[in-house]
Amino acid sequence: MNEAKTLLSKLLQEHRIKPRKIMSIFRKLCGCKFGNITFDVRKLDNLKQVEREKRRNTDIEHTMNYIEKLQVDKPGFVFKAQRDSSNAILSLFWTNSRSRLDYLLFGDIISFDTTFSTNKYNMPFAPIIGVNGHSRTIVFGWALLQDEKADTFKWLFETFVDVMGGKKPRVVLTDQDAAMKKAVPKVFPDAFHRFCIWHVCRKARENLKVYFHLKKGTEKDMEECIMQSLTVEEFERKWKEMEEKYSCGKHAHVKRMWDNRQYFVPAYFQGVFCPFTRSTSRSESFNSNFKDYVLRKDTIETFIHQYELFQENVIHIENQDRFISNEKVPVMWGYQRFERHAAEIYTRAIYCKFLTEMMNATAFGVKEIDKDKKYELKRNFEYENPEFDREVFIVQTDRTTDEFDCECGKFQKDELLDATNTIHTKHLLGKEQAVATREDGNNSRDRDDVNNDMRDPAVKKNKSVRKGDKLKSRSEIEA
């Protein structure tokens, strides 16, 4: 293997390309024949081992040198270490100025998880994660911990708050770790602590796999009970019915789930602001993203290198999102004024979520139960991926304060009008506009407003929004 091929092999390995894939790349470079390659997979493995040996005994020294360099090159970089009585490093935490600014803006909710990976010294990798205004995953800080005990978590949380200027989150999402359950209230006594539903479902499948196989329908009914209950009373009634139906109430894991129900069942925190975390897909994507950057046998220095790459990618994506939100005109689906207002105040990603809810609102009909106080919304048509499977929702209103309260609780949780609140708002606005027209005796002002709407560049492209019965994706619209 000549010097050029050696350098290319090292570069590919540094970017997580496995030896067998590297061999396939060299095969294409060498005329699509393995016979033209003068080395094999074993040679590549040996090359990787040599590089690892060079760093094995100098990892901490290299890491500290690299951190000192980062602190000079990037003044906002912050590094904290937990040490023992002999000054040996036990746990590490680091972050930078961009992450600290992100936390200032979006730090009401943090997600903390130690299940992603460990390094070569079996130190749990613990990123502290959030969601930005574009509904993207961002990282407020990274940590490598000596263990997963309550005192270690307490040190990390206290260090995190100190670095972040004393600001504490309002909501903390974690996995089902007992030590975290002890540490969180000690450092964040006023925060709302809840378990990530993705971890809860995964643990249930792991511990109840045999039971789910023998008792067909248990998993489906359990998920329906957890995710489709709107009130605490409804959940508890359905859970007891499920236990009786499948005789699963005495199973140890089912008991644990019942004891911890207030930490993960959405019905217990309907009014808590925790946007776009109901679905398991976000936590799943967290795991997928980090697996691309950190591996089980990585050194500490490599973790910090990978942190830089991850942050560069986050910043690049956020800059793209900001450009789309600020510089490009969104495509309107309809001709409602509040749709245009939403396009002005929301980022593009959040506006797209609003647009989907606005379209789904057309599937509902409105029936007034108690004049100006209570409305029944009934779903007349099916639409893709409804959050709740039920057909009827009740919306309570207070016209003196213009407050709307749908029993689904989505507005309080996501601070985004959902299909039921949207159709109810449109219904009330329609009534008010009709009354105003009758009182004025003409509707010339409305015609002027419509003409202005038709000249708006966002509305001119309205025809391109529809694709069959579905909304086009943003990329399709803007292509």
Side-chain angles (χ1 to χ4, degrees):
M1 182 184 293
N2 60 32
E3 184 178 354
K5 290 180 179 178
T6 301
L7 289 174
L8 179 58
S9 298
K10 288 181 180 179
L11 181 64
L12 293 172
Q13 287 179 346
E14 285 178 3
H15 286 79
R16 311 301 196 207
I17 308 298
K18 295 181 179 179
R20 293 192 180 279
K21 289 188 176 181
I22 293 175
M23 288 296 294
S24 297
I25 292 171
F26 275 107
R27 177 179 176 272
K28 289 191 176 182
L29 293 174
C30 297
C32 296
K33 291 183 179 180
F34 280 114
N36 295 336
I37 304 175
T38 58
F39 54 90
D40 56 14
V41 173
R42 185 179 300 175
K43 179 76 172 178
L44 293 174
D45 284 332
N46 290 339
L47 182 66
K48 188 175 183 179
Q49 185 65 25
V50 169
E51 290 298 311
R52 190 179 293 135
E53 289 289 342
K54 289 180 182 179
R55 298 183 182 181
R56 176 165 293 175
N57 298 319
T58 58
D59 188 21
I60 292 295
E61 182 183 347
H62 283 174
T63 299
M64 298 311 295
N65 290 338
Y66 184 65
I67 287 171
E68 288 177 6
K69 181 178 181 299
L70 280 176
Q71 289 176 327
V72 172
D73 296 343
K74 301 179 179 180
F77 183 85
V78 177
F79 173 82
K80 298 288 184 179
Q82 181 187 27
R83 299 175 184 270
D84 62 12
S85 57
S86 61
N87 206 35
I89 292 178
L90 302 177
S91 301
L92 310 170
F93 171 79
W94 65 95
T95 186
N96 64 8
S97 56
R98 179 63 174 258
S99 295
R100 291 159 73 187
L101 177 60
D102 283 341
Y103 181 73
L104 183 65
L105 297 173
F106 310 111
D108 287 338
I109 302 153
I110 64 170
S111 177
F112 179 70
D113 189 350
T114 59
T115 63
F116 295 116
S117 179
T118 58
N119 72 341
K120 62 181 291 186
Y121 309 110
N122 291 320
M123 298 174 72
F125 170 53
I128 299 178
I129 299 165
V131 180
N132 69 9
H134 302 282
S135 193
R136 299 277 193 184
T137 301
I138 53 176
V139 181
F140 299 133
W142 294 42
L144 286 170
L145 306 176
Q146 63 166 326
D147 53 41
E148 297 181 70
K149 295 180 180 178
D151 287 342
T152 303
F153 292 139
K154 183 173 178 288
W155 171 84
L156 175 60
F157 293 149
E158 288 175 343
T159 301
F160 177 75
V161 172
D162 180 56
V163 169
M164 297 300 177
K167 177 180 177 178
K168 295 184 178 182
R170 292 192 298 174
V171 179
V172 180
L173 283 77
T174 70
D175 58 28
Q176 297 168 269
D177 188 273
M180 287 189 202
K181 196 174 176 181
K182 292 179 181 178
V184 169
K186 289 181 179 180
V187 184
F188 308 123
D190 299 322
F192 187 88
H193 182 202
R194 55 172 287 198
F195 295 155
C196 170
I197 191 67
W198 182 75
H199 288 291
V200 173
C201 293
R202 189 179 69 172
K203 283 289 185 183
R205 285 191 293 269
E206 289 174 0
N207 289 279
L208 298 169
K209 182 190 298 184
V210 176
Y211 205 95
F212 286 162
H213 178 73
L214 294 175
K215 300 277 189 176
K216 302 295 183 184
T218 310
E219 182 177 8
K220 181 181 178 182
D221 283 4
M222 179 179 286
E223 182 179 353
E224 193 275 337
C225 176
I226 294 171
M227 303 304 292
Q228 297 297 321
S229 298
L230 293 179
T231 64
V232 171
E233 294 74 20
E234 181 184 358
F235 164 75
E236 293 183 352
R237 172 178 54 79
K238 286 183 176 180
W239 188 270
K240 293 302 179 183
E241 290 174 356
M242 180 197 69
E243 287 184 341
E244 292 179 9
K245 181 178 179 181
Y246 298 103
S247 303
C248 61
K250 294 183 179 180
H251 193 288
H253 190 74
V254 175
K255 284 184 177 180
R256 280 196 297 273
M257 292 181 72
W258 173 256
D259 291 340
N260 289 319
R261 62 192 183 278
Q262 292 179 322
Y263 285 92
F264 70 89
V265 177
Y268 285 90
F269 35 86
Q270 280 286 68
V272 178
F273 175 62
C274 199
F276 317 122
T277 56
R278 176 184 168 88
S279 168
T280 63
S281 60
R282 181 172 295 279
S283 292
E284 209 166 359
S285 69
F286 286 171
N287 279 268
S288 176
N289 284 340
F290 284 116
K291 283 179 181 177
D292 291 338
Y293 285 90
V294 291
L295 300 179
R296 190 170 186 81
K297 294 184 179 180
D298 277 339
T299 63
I300 297 174
E301 184 183 0
T302 302
F303 265 76
I304 297 179
H305 274 292
Q306 295 304 108
Y307 146 80
E308 283 198 279
L309 292 176
F310 184 90
Q311 287 297 88
E312 285 179 15
N313 188 51
V314 167
I315 292 171
H316 173 69
I317 292 172
E318 187 173 345
N319 288 339
Q320 288 181 323
D321 289 338
R322 188 181 295 111
F323 173 78
I324 291 173
S325 294
N326 295 339
E327 302 299 330
K328 290 197 173 184
V329 178
V331 178
M332 302 293 177
W333 177 72
Y335 300 97
Q336 299 287 345
R337 293 184 190 175
F338 72 92
E339 181 188 1
R340 181 182 297 173
H341 180 60
E344 292 173 354
I345 63 173
Y346 287 143
T347 63
R348 185 61 54 86
I350 305 302
Y351 171 70
C352 288
K353 293 179 182 292
F354 169 80
L355 206 61
T356 300
E357 296 293 344
M358 184 175 176
M359 183 176 181
N360 292 343
T362 62
F364 288 85
V366 182
K367 180 181 178 182
E368 192 171 52
I369 304 300
D370 188 357
K371 185 173 177 59
D372 290 337
K373 293 182 179 179
K374 186 176 181 180
Y375 294 82
E376 178 187 275
L377 277 69
K378 184 175 182 181
R379 186 165 61 190
N380 297 322
F381 300 96
E382 297 297 323
Y383 56 86
E384 291 184 0
N385 302 319
E387 191 164 343
F388 295 98
D389 292 334
R390 64 188 63 212
E391 300 294 319
V392 176
F393 295 87
I394 300 298
V395 177
Q396 305 281 353
T397 66
D398 185 344
R399 298 310 310 279
T400 59
T401 59
D402 286 333
E403 291 183 357
F404 306 84
D405 184 17
C406 178
E407 61 181 340
C408 72
K410 186 172 176 64
F411 182 73
Q412 290 84 350
K413 181 176 68 69
D414 293 341
E415 291 194 357
L416 181 73
L417 287 176
D418 67 326
T420 53
N421 275 311
T422 303
I423 186 64
H424 180 245
T425 304
K426 290 167 64 179
H427 176 72
L428 291 181
L429 288 173
K431 287 174 61 178
E432 290 175 349
Q433 288 172 357
V435 171
T437 300
R438 288 196 295 270
E439 290 177 352
D440 292 344
N442 64 74
N443 61 351
S444 59
R445 184 167 175 265
D446 290 336
R447 280 198 301 270
D448 291 339
D449 289 335
V450 170
N451 289 334
N452 290 333
D453 288 348
M454 292 299 294
R455 288 191 291 270
D456 191 291
V459 178
K460 286 181 179 179
K461 294 184 180 180
N462 188 60
K463 292 181 180 178
S464 68
V465 179
R466 278 192 168 276
K467 182 180 181 182
D469 290 329
K470 303 175 185 177
L471 281 175
K472 279 188 176 184
S473 68
R474 297 294 94 190
S475 58
E476 288 180 285
I477 292 171
E478 292 163 359

